[in-house]
Amino acid sequence: MRDLARSLAASARARGAAALDAVAPARDAAARALSNAGALRAALASLAALALVALLARVLRRRGDLVVHLTYPAELRATFRVRIDRHRRSWKRRMPESDAEILKGGVASAREHHLVARETPFRRLPCRRYFVTVDGVLQDPHTGEVLEHPFAQTTANVLHRRTVRCDLDVTPAAAPVDVVIAWDGQAPREAIVAARGHAKGPVEVEGGRVRLRLPLGTHAIVVGSGDRVAERRVAVRSHLPSAVDVELGQGGAVVFKACPPAVEPYVAGRIEAAAQALARDGQSGAAHRLLARRNAELGRTAEAALHHEAAGDFLEAAELHAQLRNYAHAGELFGRADDPVSAAEMFQIAGDPVRAGRAFEQARDFDSAIACYREAGDAASWVEALERRGDVFEAARTALEHDLPTRGIRLLQRVAPDDPNYADACLLLTDTFERERHFDLAARKLSDYFAVTKPGGAPAELYARLADLHERAGDIESALDVLETLRLQDPSYPNLATRTEQLRKARSAKRHVPIALLGDDAGLAPTILLADQRYELIEEIGRGGMGVVWRARDRRLGRVVALKRLSDSLRDHPRAVELFLREARAAASLNHPNIVTVFDADQEDGTLFITMELLDGQPLHQLLRRRGRLASSEIAHIGWQVCAGLQYAHERGIVHRDVKTANLFVSPDQRVKIMDFGLAKVAEEVRRSASLIGGTPYYMAPEQTLGGEIDARADLYGLGVTLFELATGRVPFPDGDPQHHSRHTAPPDPRELAPDVDDTLAALVLELLAKDPDARPASAAEVARRLAPLDPLRPAERTAPSASN
């Protein structure tokens, strides 16, 4: 067995050796192949190393240029230090020890340049990214003062064979503004200053001067000191130093004063807190102005408008309401701001042509006013505007076309004979008088027409018409004279002979019947003559508790007057008749531009009458009924004139006793005249004997309602009620017993009913309404003196009326 094993092992070794001999050639070939591959790898590695070295050498040879350009205001002088670094860790500011270090400069190098102005180049820099740092000083070129230490950083990539431009803007963010504070020319000891809208809070100032740094633009500089704040707007347009003066005393831009608690909040920008402090101090107007501006800054236009209106800033409120398209209210506010043109434009946009017309009239733009009234169909206002423009004839024709005969007649009678429209006016008056059945007046105006036409220029039909008018008026003789003239002009006119014969027969049958004075309730003849046929009544122009007012012609003096026929109830009171004649004659002695001139007073058949100047315009109560209430400036203008007339009468011992809107007449040129002096005394006499003349005494002073003796101060009470009514549109005590209220009830403040009433006017009205006469102003002259500053139309040289006025 052992031999067999040895035999098998030997056999295996023999086969292994044979196999090795068989693969030996292949092994040798493989060994040779491995040896060749190693040599190739070594060659390739050598080639790669050589290429890398060449590439690195090429990269290291790539270079470019970098130009750093600096932008800053041309008005400044600048010196910079520019440095470039390869690593971010070096990119930090190196503060110079002083400005001189930069201004003097240092040793320049390839990576750091000194004394740079606008531009500096860095040449042949290796291509890569660089970190650029710039710092320096900006100076005032005139004084050398250092204004700014600019500092800027950026990065730049340098490219091969390229010049790369690096732009840096070192313009200062703010400019120096010196605030110089004065109080009546002297620097205040302490003050606080702030620029409205900037994050930096108020700065405390001593010595009256401080420097602020503000961006270019417009800024509000707010200065507070003591009890007041002033504010100035400054436009910063240059980086050079500028100055703004803020005056806290008289004539300065003071926002408010006399309220120390509001100073610090306002300067700090806490407007609501400042407004609350002002309101607590009684300065509501200033408080509302602050809140108005605050709301405007926040874009709350409606709230801003309300605060402006509450403050009395009507122009600002009107402009804001116009922005909000509240055109009607904007128009009202423009009117209260004395800007009638803007008011009219707002009312037009709002679709209210009547109010637009009134505003245009106030601006004396009568053409636009007439167009508005025409659009609205308001004939009365249209006629009034034409009259105020001076087109009396056109106004009359318009009045007649729109069924206003009384107004048309009055206007036509004002057309003068030298007016080119006089002939047409005569014809229109003829037509109107005939329609109103005033045949005698129609005949007279037709005769006036013939007087201004060429002889024979009028058609025959007009002569026939004139004859007919005379006949219908009962003047047969004049009718026959006209028919005779017609026969000479046109003998063939139809029925001429027949009419002439009829009139002759009527003349023979006519009996003379004198015309008696007719009472108020009797039928009125076309022509009524009083006092030996001196006065011819033309038309009724007014009616009231004291009687009827007529337009009349004084035949003796050839002038047109106003004739007031007093109530028949006076006939039964001889004392009243005697008193009337005495008081009327006393009134006739008054000669003042603000008192209606009385010509005569008399009685005929128990009827009392008084003649006076015929006024052109309207009583104040009618004006108030049309407009609602008046502005404070208008009230002052009216009140001043009333005081002038009252002072004149009081100095002569005459008390009116019935000052009220119905007894004040306003002419188209805004002249005010007082009517009915003395008649109130007559009414009181009749009232004491028998309550025949009534009327609620809304205007009577407390002492007057008790029936005691009164003096001029009773007229001042009536003036107070009148001014109250003009300002608010109503009397102080419209309800209940006015006599009781006048003696026991405190009058309301007119500002409660009309917040826009001027404070000075409101205080004066309340003083005039005092229960105790001694508590009222001493005289009408004193009232006028206090009204004068509110009256823009009063002559500047006059401060109070006197007897010479």
Side-chain angles (χ1 to χ4, degrees), residues 119-149:
E119 192 172 273
T120 184
F122 291 89
R123 304 294 186 188
R124 296 192 57 76
L125 295 175
C127 296
R128 57 164 297 136
R129 185 174 69 164
Y130 291 91
F131 298 90
V132 182
T133 303
V134 175
D135 60 0
V137 294
L138 292 173
Q139 297 174 277
D140 184 336
H142 307 296
T143 65
E145 178 187 2
V146 175
L147 305 176
E148 187 80 16
H149 293 87

mmCIF file of all heavy atoms in Angstrom, residues 119-149:
data_model
loop_
_atom_site.group_PDB
_atom_site.id
_atom_site.type_symbol
_atom_site.label_atom_id
_atom_site.label_comp_id
_atom_site.label_asym_id
_atom_site.label_seq_id
_atom_site.Cartn_x
_atom_site.Cartn_y
_atom_site.Cartn_z
ATOM 1 N N GLU A 119 -10.714 108.890 -9.005
ATOM 2 C CA GLU A 119 -10.426 107.613 -9.666
ATOM 3 C C GLU A 119 -8.978 107.240 -9.430
ATOM 4 O O GLU A 119 -8.078 108.097 -9.416
ATOM 5 C CB GLU A 119 -10.720 107.751 -11.161
ATOM 6 C CG GLU A 119 -10.739 106.455 -11.933
ATOM 7 C CD GLU A 119 -11.236 106.671 -13.350
ATOM 8 O OE1 GLU A 119 -12.458 106.633 -13.550
ATOM 9 O OE2 GLU A 119 -10.386 106.899 -14.229
ATOM 10 N N THR A 120 -8.730 105.942 -9.265
ATOM 11 C CA THR A 120 -7.357 105.439 -9.124
ATOM 12 C C THR A 120 -7.256 104.071 -9.780
ATOM 13 O O THR A 120 -8.134 103.228 -9.610
ATOM 14 C CB THR A 120 -6.954 105.375 -7.641
ATOM 15 O OG1 THR A 120 -5.588 104.969 -7.562
ATOM 16 C CG2 THR A 120 -7.815 104.401 -6.862
ATOM 17 N N PRO A 121 -6.157 103.808 -10.575
ATOM 18 C CA PRO A 121 -6.012 102.498 -11.241
ATOM 19 C C PRO A 121 -5.022 101.592 -10.485
ATOM 20 O O PRO A 121 -4.054 102.056 -9.883
ATOM 21 C CB PRO A 121 -5.448 102.892 -12.599
ATOM 22 C CG PRO A 121 -4.647 104.125 -12.325
ATOM 23 C CD PRO A 121 -5.279 104.820 -11.162
ATOM 24 N N PHE A 122 -5.265 100.314 -10.533
ATOM 25 C CA PHE A 122 -4.334 99.287 -10.059
ATOM 26 C C PHE A 122 -3.945 98.468 -11.286
ATOM 27 O O PHE A 122 -4.800 97.791 -11.885
ATOM 28 C CB PHE A 122 -4.998 98.409 -8.996
ATOM 29 C CG PHE A 122 -5.270 99.135 -7.699
ATOM 30 C CD1 PHE A 122 -6.466 99.822 -7.515
ATOM 31 C CD2 PHE A 122 -4.336 99.141 -6.678
ATOM 32 C CE1 PHE A 122 -6.728 100.492 -6.341
ATOM 33 C CE2 PHE A 122 -4.593 99.821 -5.488
ATOM 34 C CZ PHE A 122 -5.785 100.489 -5.318
ATOM 35 N N ARG A 123 -2.626 98.515 -11.662
ATOM 36 C CA ARG A 123 -2.160 97.928 -12.923
ATOM 37 C C ARG A 123 -1.628 96.514 -12.726
ATOM 38 O O ARG A 123 -1.062 96.182 -11.686
ATOM 39 C CB ARG A 123 -1.051 98.801 -13.522
ATOM 40 C CG ARG A 123 -1.436 100.266 -13.747
ATOM 41 C CD ARG A 123 -2.506 100.402 -14.804
ATOM 42 N NE ARG A 123 -2.794 101.804 -15.129
ATOM 43 C CZ ARG A 123 -3.773 102.186 -15.904
ATOM 44 N NH1 ARG A 123 -4.603 101.298 -16.425
ATOM 45 N NH2 ARG A 123 -3.962 103.481 -16.133
ATOM 46 N N ARG A 124 -1.804 95.712 -13.789
ATOM 47 C CA ARG A 124 -1.229 94.374 -13.925
ATOM 48 C C ARG A 124 -1.394 93.546 -12.657
ATOM 49 O O ARG A 124 -0.457 93.057 -12.052
ATOM 50 C CB ARG A 124 0.245 94.446 -14.317
ATOM 51 C CG ARG A 124 0.444 95.086 -15.702
ATOM 52 C CD ARG A 124 1.850 94.887 -16.212
ATOM 53 N NE ARG A 124 2.227 93.474 -16.285
ATOM 54 C CZ ARG A 124 1.817 92.608 -17.218
ATOM 55 N NH1 ARG A 124 0.971 92.993 -18.178
ATOM 56 N NH2 ARG A 124 2.243 91.343 -17.195
ATOM 57 N N LEU A 125 -2.625 93.405 -12.300
ATOM 58 C CA LEU A 125 -2.955 92.562 -11.157
ATOM 59 C C LEU A 125 -3.191 91.133 -11.641
ATOM 60 O O LEU A 125 -3.770 90.916 -12.721
ATOM 61 C CB LEU A 125 -4.209 93.077 -10.466
ATOM 62 C CG LEU A 125 -4.124 94.461 -9.808
ATOM 63 C CD1 LEU A 125 -5.501 94.858 -9.280
ATOM 64 C CD2 LEU A 125 -3.110 94.453 -8.681
ATOM 65 N N PRO A 126 -2.739 90.164 -10.890
ATOM 66 C CA PRO A 126 -3.078 88.775 -11.227
ATOM 67 C C PRO A 126 -4.595 88.622 -11.273
ATOM 68 O O PRO A 126 -5.322 89.218 -10.478
ATOM 69 C CB PRO A 126 -2.457 87.972 -10.088
ATOM 70 C CG PRO A 126 -1.346 88.824 -9.579
ATOM 71 C CD PRO A 126 -1.821 90.231 -9.727
ATOM 72 N N CYS A 127 -5.023 87.845 -12.214
ATOM 73 C CA CYS A 127 -6.463 87.675 -12.412
ATOM 74 C C CYS A 127 -7.051 86.855 -11.267
ATOM 75 O O CYS A 127 -6.681 85.688 -11.084
ATOM 76 C CB CYS A 127 -6.737 86.984 -13.752
ATOM 77 S SG CYS A 127 -6.219 87.956 -15.168
ATOM 78 N N ARG A 128 -7.963 87.493 -10.547
ATOM 79 C CA ARG A 128 -8.650 86.823 -9.446
ATOM 80 C C ARG A 128 -9.672 87.791 -8.855
ATOM 81 O O ARG A 128 -9.830 88.916 -9.322
ATOM 82 C CB ARG A 128 -7.655 86.390 -8.357
ATOM 83 C CG ARG A 128 -6.831 87.530 -7.790
ATOM 84 C CD ARG A 128 -6.152 87.162 -6.480
ATOM 85 N NE ARG A 128 -7.150 86.873 -5.478
ATOM 86 C CZ ARG A 128 -7.087 85.829 -4.640
ATOM 87 N NH1 ARG A 128 -6.076 84.974 -4.734
ATOM 88 N NH2 ARG A 128 -8.017 85.629 -3.731
ATOM 89 N N ARG A 129 -10.328 87.399 -7.792
ATOM 90 C CA ARG A 129 -11.250 88.292 -7.095
ATOM 91 C C ARG A 129 -10.501 89.038 -6.007
ATOM 92 O O ARG A 129 -9.700 88.446 -5.264
ATOM 93 C CB ARG A 129 -12.399 87.508 -6.464
ATOM 94 C CG ARG A 129 -13.447 88.418 -5.836
ATOM 95 C CD ARG A 129 -14.636 87.661 -5.349
ATOM 96 N NE ARG A 129 -14.286 86.841 -4.190
ATOM 97 C CZ ARG A 129 -15.192 86.298 -3.345
ATOM 98 N NH1 ARG A 129 -16.472 86.445 -3.597
ATOM 99 N NH2 ARG A 129 -14.808 85.560 -2.332
ATOM 100 N N TYR A 130 -10.830 90.365 -5.925
ATOM 101 C CA TYR A 130 -10.195 91.226 -4.917
ATOM 102 C C TYR A 130 -11.278 91.881 -4.065
ATOM 103 O O TYR A 130 -12.407 92.145 -4.511
ATOM 104 C CB TYR A 130 -9.345 92.310 -5.595
ATOM 105 C CG TYR A 130 -8.110 91.763 -6.271
ATOM 106 C CD1 TYR A 130 -8.140 91.382 -7.609
ATOM 107 C CD2 TYR A 130 -6.925 91.605 -5.562
ATOM 108 C CE1 TYR A 130 -7.020 90.868 -8.225
ATOM 109 C CE2 TYR A 130 -5.789 91.101 -6.181
ATOM 110 C CZ TYR A 130 -5.849 90.731 -7.512
ATOM 111 O OH TYR A 130 -4.730 90.207 -8.113
ATOM 112 N N PHE A 131 -10.879 92.183 -2.851
ATOM 113 C CA PHE A 131 -11.738 92.902 -1.901
ATOM 114 C C PHE A 131 -11.260 94.345 -1.840
ATOM 115 O O PHE A 131 -10.113 94.617 -1.461
ATOM 116 C CB PHE A 131 -11.679 92.239 -0.524
ATOM 117 C CG PHE A 131 -12.172 90.824 -0.535
ATOM 118 C CD1 PHE A 131 -11.300 89.768 -0.782
ATOM 119 C CD2 PHE A 131 -13.510 90.540 -0.334
ATOM 120 C CE1 PHE A 131 -11.752 88.460 -0.806
ATOM 121 C CE2 PHE A 131 -13.966 89.240 -0.361
ATOM 122 C CZ PHE A 131 -13.104 88.191 -0.602
ATOM 123 N N VAL A 132 -12.163 95.315 -2.229
ATOM 124 C CA VAL A 132 -11.806 96.725 -2.358
ATOM 125 C C VAL A 132 -12.366 97.487 -1.150
ATOM 126 O O VAL A 132 -13.541 97.363 -0.823
ATOM 127 C CB VAL A 132 -12.363 97.328 -3.661
ATOM 128 C CG1 VAL A 132 -11.926 98.780 -3.791
ATOM 129 C CG2 VAL A 132 -11.898 96.515 -4.859
ATOM 130 N N THR A 133 -11.524 98.294 -0.523
ATOM 131 C CA THR A 133 -11.911 99.107 0.637
ATOM 132 C C THR A 133 -11.551 100.556 0.374
ATOM 133 O O THR A 133 -10.433 100.856 -0.058
ATOM 134 C CB THR A 133 -11.203 98.630 1.909
ATOM 135 O OG1 THR A 133 -11.503 97.249 2.136
ATOM 136 C CG2 THR A 133 -11.654 99.468 3.118
ATOM 137 N N VAL A 134 -12.518 101.464 0.647
ATOM 138 C CA VAL A 134 -12.310 102.897 0.452
ATOM 139 C C VAL A 134 -12.700 103.621 1.733
ATOM 140 O O VAL A 134 -13.793 103.385 2.266
ATOM 141 C CB VAL A 134 -13.143 103.451 -0.726
ATOM 142 C CG1 VAL A 134 -12.991 104.969 -0.816
ATOM 143 C CG2 VAL A 134 -12.723 102.794 -2.016
ATOM 144 N N ASP A 135 -11.863 104.481 2.249
ATOM 145 C CA ASP A 135 -12.233 105.392 3.316
ATOM 146 C C ASP A 135 -11.551 106.725 3.069
ATOM 147 O O ASP A 135 -10.612 106.830 2.280
ATOM 148 C CB ASP A 135 -11.914 104.834 4.695
ATOM 149 C CG ASP A 135 -10.428 104.537 4.871
ATOM 150 O OD1 ASP A 135 -9.667 104.778 3.919
ATOM 151 O OD2 ASP A 135 -10.054 104.085 5.957
ATOM 152 N N GLY A 136 -12.096 107.793 3.712
ATOM 153 C CA GLY A 136 -11.539 109.106 3.455
ATOM 154 C C GLY A 136 -12.300 110.190 4.184
ATOM 155 O O GLY A 136 -13.000 109.930 5.175
ATOM 156 N N VAL A 137 -12.196 111.408 3.690
ATOM 157 C CA VAL A 137 -12.884 112.558 4.287
ATOM 158 C C VAL A 137 -13.504 113.389 3.176
ATOM 159 O O VAL A 137 -12.948 113.482 2.071
ATOM 160 C CB VAL A 137 -11.924 113.434 5.130
ATOM 161 C CG1 VAL A 137 -11.432 112.690 6.345
ATOM 162 C CG2 VAL A 137 -10.766 113.933 4.292
ATOM 163 N N LEU A 138 -14.684 113.988 3.480
ATOM 164 C CA LEU A 138 -15.335 114.962 2.612
ATOM 165 C C LEU A 138 -15.315 116.299 3.331
ATOM 166 O O LEU A 138 -15.676 116.386 4.513
ATOM 167 C CB LEU A 138 -16.770 114.548 2.299
ATOM 168 C CG LEU A 138 -16.934 113.297 1.428
ATOM 169 C CD1 LEU A 138 -18.405 112.914 1.336
ATOM 170 C CD2 LEU A 138 -16.368 113.534 0.042
ATOM 171 N N GLN A 139 -14.929 117.371 2.611
ATOM 172 C CA GLN A 139 -14.725 118.668 3.230
ATOM 173 C C GLN A 139 -15.539 119.754 2.542
ATOM 174 O O GLN A 139 -15.884 119.646 1.363
ATOM 175 C CB GLN A 139 -13.236 119.062 3.166
ATOM 176 C CG GLN A 139 -12.307 118.147 3.922
ATOM 177 C CD GLN A 139 -10.866 118.533 3.671
ATOM 178 O OE1 GLN A 139 -10.279 118.137 2.663
ATOM 179 N NE2 GLN A 139 -10.304 119.334 4.574
ATOM 180 N N ASP A 140 -15.811 120.800 3.308
ATOM 181 C CA ASP A 140 -16.359 122.029 2.754
ATOM 182 C C ASP A 140 -15.226 122.728 2.018
ATOM 183 O O ASP A 140 -14.210 123.094 2.633
ATOM 184 C CB ASP A 140 -16.892 122.912 3.878
ATOM 185 C CG ASP A 140 -17.574 124.170 3.351
ATOM 186 O OD1 ASP A 140 -17.270 124.595 2.219
ATOM 187 O OD2 ASP A 140 -18.386 124.738 4.093
ATOM 188 N N PRO A 141 -15.322 122.931 0.702
ATOM 189 C CA PRO A 141 -14.202 123.531 -0.042
ATOM 190 C C PRO A 141 -13.913 124.973 0.364
ATOM 191 O O PRO A 141 -12.831 125.477 0.106
ATOM 192 C CB PRO A 141 -14.653 123.429 -1.497
ATOM 193 C CG PRO A 141 -16.140 123.372 -1.432
ATOM 194 C CD PRO A 141 -16.455 122.640 -0.182
ATOM 195 N N HIS A 142 -14.881 125.636 0.972
ATOM 196 C CA HIS A 142 -14.689 127.035 1.335
ATOM 197 C C HIS A 142 -14.008 127.194 2.689
ATOM 198 O O HIS A 142 -13.158 128.068 2.870
ATOM 199 C CB HIS A 142 -16.043 127.747 1.359
ATOM 200 C CG HIS A 142 -16.822 127.581 0.088
ATOM 201 N ND1 HIS A 142 -16.401 128.079 -1.121
ATOM 202 C CD2 HIS A 142 -17.989 126.926 -0.147
ATOM 203 C CE1 HIS A 142 -17.281 127.770 -2.057
ATOM 204 N NE2 HIS A 142 -18.263 127.075 -1.490
ATOM 205 N N THR A 143 -14.374 126.344 3.634
ATOM 206 C CA THR A 143 -13.826 126.478 4.988
ATOM 207 C C THR A 143 -12.860 125.368 5.350
ATOM 208 O O THR A 143 -12.123 125.494 6.327
ATOM 209 C CB THR A 143 -14.977 126.488 6.001
ATOM 210 O OG1 THR A 143 -15.647 125.215 5.974
ATOM 211 C CG2 THR A 143 -15.972 127.594 5.680
ATOM 212 N N GLY A 144 -12.821 124.287 4.599
ATOM 213 C CA GLY A 144 -11.977 123.154 4.931
ATOM 214 C C GLY A 144 -12.548 122.278 6.024
ATOM 215 O O GLY A 144 -11.904 121.297 6.425
ATOM 216 N N GLU A 145 -13.747 122.565 6.516
ATOM 217 C CA GLU A 145 -14.348 121.767 7.573
ATOM 218 C C GLU A 145 -14.641 120.359 7.067
ATOM 219 O O GLU A 145 -15.178 120.174 5.975
ATOM 220 C CB GLU A 145 -15.644 122.432 8.044
ATOM 221 C CG GLU A 145 -16.366 121.639 9.114
ATOM 222 C CD GLU A 145 -17.723 122.237 9.447
ATOM 223 O OE1 GLU A 145 -18.103 123.243 8.806
ATOM 224 O OE2 GLU A 145 -18.406 121.697 10.345
ATOM 225 N N VAL A 146 -14.249 119.359 7.865
ATOM 226 C CA VAL A 146 -14.538 117.971 7.523
ATOM 227 C C VAL A 146 -16.001 117.686 7.843
ATOM 228 O O VAL A 146 -16.432 117.829 8.990
ATOM 229 C CB VAL A 146 -13.606 117.012 8.281
ATOM 230 C CG1 VAL A 146 -14.003 115.570 7.998
ATOM 231 C CG2 VAL A 146 -12.154 117.248 7.881
ATOM 232 N N LEU A 147 -16.717 117.289 6.813
ATOM 233 C CA LEU A 147 -18.147 117.080 6.962
ATOM 234 C C LEU A 147 -18.539 115.618 7.104
ATOM 235 O O LEU A 147 -19.567 115.308 7.694
ATOM 236 C CB LEU A 147 -18.877 117.679 5.751
ATOM 237 C CG LEU A 147 -18.600 119.147 5.444
ATOM 238 C CD1 LEU A 147 -19.322 119.561 4.180
ATOM 239 C CD2 LEU A 147 -19.015 120.027 6.610
ATOM 240 N N GLU A 148 -17.727 114.713 6.566
ATOM 241 C CA GLU A 148 -18.123 113.300 6.531
ATOM 242 C C GLU A 148 -16.874 112.445 6.430
ATOM 243 O O GLU A 148 -15.853 112.851 5.855
ATOM 244 C CB GLU A 148 -19.042 113.047 5.335
ATOM 245 C CG GLU A 148 -19.654 111.673 5.285
ATOM 246 C CD GLU A 148 -20.856 111.536 6.196
ATOM 247 O OE1 GLU A 148 -21.393 112.569 6.640
ATOM 248 O OE2 GLU A 148 -21.247 110.394 6.477
ATOM 249 N N HIS A 149 -16.935 111.227 7.001
ATOM 250 C CA HIS A 149 -15.875 110.222 6.861
ATOM 251 C C HIS A 149 -16.456 109.031 6.104
ATOM 252 O O HIS A 149 -16.934 108.065 6.711
ATOM 253 C CB HIS A 149 -15.362 109.775 8.231
ATOM 254 C CG HIS A 149 -14.646 110.854 8.984
ATOM 255 N ND1 HIS A 149 -15.306 111.758 9.789
ATOM 256 C CD2 HIS A 149 -13.330 111.195 9.034
ATOM 257 C CE1 HIS A 149 -14.429 112.589 10.317
ATOM 258 N NE2 HIS A 149 -13.209 112.275 9.881
#
